[in-house]
């Protein structure tokens, strides 16, 4: 079990790095075409990723159609899509468009604190001081990385704060909602149907947003976002919840801005400053801290 936990922590770190890369790709798409909106990207990645995963579930004998025989499953799938997938994807891209990726990253990383609050209040889980300190250190590291030491960049309008707050809540709901669902359906089937349901609802609500520019560069970037930024990381993240705590999984998301920053070095010729390296070190130290588990197991607080 301990080895499985380490493996899934590693896979979550990889997933968060892939999300960071997909964020860079989305930024590039916005720069290349004004026709592509956050809604466009979310619709496309939801529908195509969902259909691919549904086919994968069918070919691997998961029998995804059988899940829909239960009305409760259908309702839960739709609720997960609406309150889990949309906030963490669409609302994040809205903040990127209305401000910048740095602000979006900082606001979204409030999510782990919402998760910690939920775990303590509703599940009576004991949080070590180390976990709380690690979350704060990671948050500080993200601010350093996202702003590159230029704190004047943190200029927040009420609109940006609103969408950023919903995006952070999405980190929590996307992590917490699937946990009970994974006890009665496999992760591939859950992600597939949730993405398809959400994508269809968005398509009905915004049919004109599905238009794709005839630019090969945009198409290639969208393919990268779908495969590396959606299918692989969501599969790894959901499966990891069987082995690691939601609060741990959410704090590992601190690796997303690291990959985005390093990617910016190669793609946008960003020059790293000492404070960028300091932020990276703080994030890595925070992750090492939350992964540290003493021999004496920490027991949850009893009701």
């Amino acid at each position: 079990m301990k080895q499985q936990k380490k493996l899934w922590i590693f896979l979550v770190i990889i997933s968060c790095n892939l999300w960071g890369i997909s964020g860079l790709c989305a930024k590039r798409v916005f720069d290349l075409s004004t026709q592509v909106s956050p809604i466009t990207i979310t619709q496309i990645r939801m529908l195509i990723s969902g259909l691919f995963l549904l086919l994968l579930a069918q070919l691997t004998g998961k029998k995804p159609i059988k899940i829909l025989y239960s009305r409760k499953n259908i309702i839960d799938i739709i609720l997960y899509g609406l309150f889990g997938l949309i906030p963490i994807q669409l609302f994040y891209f809205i903040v990127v468009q209305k401000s910048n990726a740095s602000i979006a990253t900082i606001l979204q990383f409030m999510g782990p604190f919402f998760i910690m609050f939920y775990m303590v209040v509703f599940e009576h889980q004991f949080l070590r001081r180390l976990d709380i300190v690690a979350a704060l250190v990671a948050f500080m590291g993200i601010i350093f990385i996202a702003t590159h030491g230029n704190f004047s960049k943190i200029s927040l309008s009420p609109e940006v704060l609103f969408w950023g707050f919903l995006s952070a809540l999405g980190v929590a709901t996307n992590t917490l909602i699937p946990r009970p669902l994974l006890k009665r359906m496999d992760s591939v089937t859950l992600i597939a149907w949730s993405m398809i349901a959400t994508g269809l609802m968005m398509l009905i609500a915004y049919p004109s947003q599905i238009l794709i520019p005839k630019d090969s560069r945009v198409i290639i970037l969208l393919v990268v976002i779908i495969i590396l930024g959606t299918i692989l990381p969501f599969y790894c993240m959901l499966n990891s919840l069987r082995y690691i705590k939601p609060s741990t999984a959410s704090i590992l998301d601190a690796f997303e801005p690291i990959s985005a920053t390093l990617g910016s070095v190669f793609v946008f010729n960003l020059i790293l400053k000492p404070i960028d390296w300091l932020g990276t070190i703080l994030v890595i130290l925070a992750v090492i801290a939350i992964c540290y588990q003493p021999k004496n197991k920490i027991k949850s607080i009893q009701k």
Side-chain angles (χ1 to χ4, degrees):
M1 186 68 179
K2 190 174 181 180
Q3 292 300 320
Q4 285 183 321
K5 180 180 178 181
K6 290 181 178 179
L7 171 63
W8 284 106
I9 285 177
F10 173 75
L11 290 176
V12 170
I13 291 174
I14 295 297
S15 299
C16 295
N17 280 285
L18 292 177
W19 271 324
I21 293 172
S22 73
L24 286 175
C25 292
K27 174 63 176 174
R28 184 60 177 157
V29 168
F30 291 143
D31 291 342
L32 289 172
S33 175
T34 56
Q35 291 178 287
V36 179
S37 69
I39 294 176
T40 303
I41 291 183
T42 307
Q43 285 176 331
I44 293 172
R45 73 190 299 195
M46 290 278 197
L47 289 171
I48 297 179
S49 300
L51 290 171
F52 176 84
L53 289 170
L54 186 65
L55 178 61
L56 178 63
Q58 182 64 38
L59 293 176
T60 54
K62 306 294 185 182
K63 299 180 179 180
I65 304 298
K66 194 174 181 180
I67 295 296
L68 301 182
Y69 294 166
S70 167
R71 181 181 297 179
K72 178 175 175 56
N73 286 342
I74 295 175
I75 293 174
D76 287 342
I77 285 171
I78 292 175
L79 290 176
Y80 170 53
L82 288 175
F83 298 104
L85 295 180
I86 286 183
I88 200 174
Q89 296 190 56
L90 176 59
F91 298 163
Y92 172 80
F93 286 131
I94 289 176
V95 177
V96 171
Q97 189 183 54
K98 291 185 179 298
S99 60
N100 55 61
S102 300
I103 296 300
T105 301
I106 293 171
L107 293 177
Q108 193 175 61
F109 199 75
M110 291 189 296
F113 299 100
F114 292 139
I115 292 175
M116 288 181 176
F117 176 80
Y118 177 88
M119 298 297 288
V120 170
V121 175
F122 295 100
E123 296 196 3
H124 305 280
Q125 180 176 313
F126 176 78
L127 285 180
R128 301 174 298 174
R129 291 181 181 176
L130 185 60
D131 294 326
I132 299 172
V133 171
L136 293 172
V137 170
F139 185 65
M140 182 59 66
I142 283 177
I143 291 178
F144 288 160
I145 295 169
T147 63
H148 309 297
N150 183 6
F151 298 105
S152 62
K153 286 185 178 181
I154 306 180
S155 177
L156 305 177
S157 67
E159 187 179 16
V160 168
L161 275 174
F162 173 75
W163 291 112
F165 180 78
L166 291 182
S167 174
L169 280 178
V171 172
T173 53
N174 184 67
T175 305
L176 296 170
I177 291 177
R179 293 172 66 220
L181 306 185
L182 291 172
K183 295 178 181 178
R184 62 177 190 272
M185 64 182 83
D186 68 279
S187 59
V188 177
T189 301
L190 173 60
I191 304 171
W193 282 124
S194 296
M195 286 187 171
I196 290 173
T198 307
L200 288 175
M201 285 185 287
M202 291 186 66
L203 184 59
I204 293 172
Y206 303 97
S208 62
Q209 296 289 334
I210 199 65
L211 297 176
I212 305 175
K214 296 179 181 179
D215 187 328
S216 59
R217 295 172 298 174
V218 172
I219 294 174
I220 291 172
L221 288 168
L222 289 175
V223 170
V224 173
I225 290 172
I226 290 168
I227 297 176
L228 297 182
T230 308
I231 295 174
L232 292 178
F234 272 95
Y235 172 77
C236 291
M237 182 62 78
L238 278 190
N239 272 300
S240 71
L241 296 177
R242 302 178 189 272
Y243 305 99
I244 63 179
K245 295 185 298 183
S247 54
T248 299
S250 63
I251 294 175
L252 292 174
D253 195 38
F255 275 92
E256 182 178 340
I258 292 179
S259 63
T261 299
L262 293 178
S264 295
V265 173
F266 300 103
V267 178
F268 299 110
N269 299 317
L270 174 70
I271 298 176
L272 292 182
K273 299 179 180 179
I275 198 164
D276 296 315
W277 292 111
L278 174 60
T280 301
I281 292 171
L282 288 176
V283 169
I284 293 174
L285 288 176
V287 171
I288 292 174
I290 63 170
C291 293
Y292 171 72
Q293 193 73 27
K295 293 182 179 180
N296 296 327
K297 294 182 179 180
I298 301 174
K299 298 182 179 179
S300 299
I301 300 175
Q302 301 297 323
K303 293 183 180 180

